Amino acid sequence: MLLLVFLLLAEASAAPDFPWYNPTLPIEQRVAALVGAMSVDEKVSQMMTVASAIDRLAVPAYGWWSEASHGVAWAGVATVFPAPIALAATFDVDLVQAAARVISTEGRAKYNYARQTTNTSGSLQGITFFAPNLNLFTHALWGRGQETFGECPYLTSRLAVAYISGMQQGPDPKYTEVVATAKHALAYNLDSDYAAGGDNGQYRLGYDAYVSQTDLYQVGQLQRCNGGAWSWCELESTHRSASTTF
C-alpha cells in the first residue's frame, strides 16, 4: 500500500482531492486513509500481479512485475550490463552500485513515459523490479545460476546491499526511485519443470527436496528480509552480519 501512495504521487499535477494524494500529510496517515476507503473486494483486487484500477478512489491500474537483474528487461531499449554472476566476478561493490543506479534511472524513466503516454503501467512497465536474485549458486546444474552473485554468502550479501541501495536511492531522499525486490524465497524451486523442458505443471507436488539445517542457516540468514514494504532489508552471511536501512 505504501507503493500505491507513491505511485499516485506521480500524478500530483492533476491530483484529486483525496488525503492520500496530499504530500504534506505523514505517509502513515495517507496509507491508513487509502486502505480505510477501500472495500474488501477492492483490497483483494490489489493483491494480484496486475492490480486493477479503483476509479472511485483515483487509484490507477498497476503491474507489479518488472525485471532488472542486469538492466531493465523486456521493456524496449535499455542499457544491458553483464549478468550478475559476471558482475560478482569483479568483486567491486562500487561498480555494482553504479550499475544499479543506471538501471534505476532508466526504469523510472520508462515508467514515467508509460504513465504519460498511456496513463497506465502494466507488467514490465512498473517501478517494482523482481531483482536482485540472492539465491546461492551452490549446484552447477541449477539452470539460473547466471542470475545470482555466486555461491559465497558474504560476497552476495555485500553486492546485494550495493545493488538494492543503488536501485532505491534516487535524487530525492524523500522518495524511493524504484523498488528492488530481492528473490527467491528460502528453499525456492520452480513450481513446474518447464525450465527443464518438461510439461508437468504440478511438478512441485512430486518433487521432494531435502533441505538441510545448513541450507536453512546459510540461505535463511542471507535472505531474511523483514519490516514491511521494502523499507528494511537485513542481509546476513555466515561469516559476518550487516544491516542497512534503505
Side-chain angles (χ1 to χ4, degrees), residues 58-135:
V59 175
Y62 181 72
W64 291 91
W65 174 43
S66 291
E67 294 281 357
S69 66
H70 58 112
V72 180
W74 305 324
V77 177
T79 304
V80 179
F81 293 93
I85 195 72
L87 288 175
T90 68
F91 293 88
D92 192 328
V93 172
D94 293 336
L95 180 65
V96 170
Q97 186 173 57
R101 289 294 311 122
V102 173
I103 295 169
S104 175
T105 300
E106 292 186 359
R108 166 59 71 167
K110 288 177 178 292
Y111 166 78
N112 289 345
Y113 180 77
R115 294 289 297 156
Q116 292 167 6
T117 55
T118 66
N119 196 36
T120 188
S121 53
S123 294
L124 306 176
Q125 295 178 316
I127 52 172
T128 44
F129 292 96
F130 293 4
N133 184 338
L134 302 186
N135 288 112

Side-chain angles (χ1 to χ4, degrees), residues 124-183:
L124 306 176
Q125 295 178 316
I127 52 172
T128 44
F129 292 96
F130 293 4
N133 184 338
L134 302 186
N135 288 112
L136 298 180
F137 187 31
T138 57
H139 196 303
L141 296 181
W142 184 53
R144 300 178 65 173
Q146 74 278 3
E147 296 180 36
T148 77
F149 291 131
E151 66 179 348
C152 175
Y154 178 71
L155 178 62
T156 296
S157 71
R158 297 300 84 217
L159 297 182
V161 169
Y163 186 95
I164 293 171
S165 61
M167 288 281 283
Q168 297 194 161
Q169 293 173 354
D172 188 339
K174 184 178 180 180
Y175 298 113
T176 300
E177 184 162 79
V178 302
V179 174
T181 309
K183 61 184 182 184

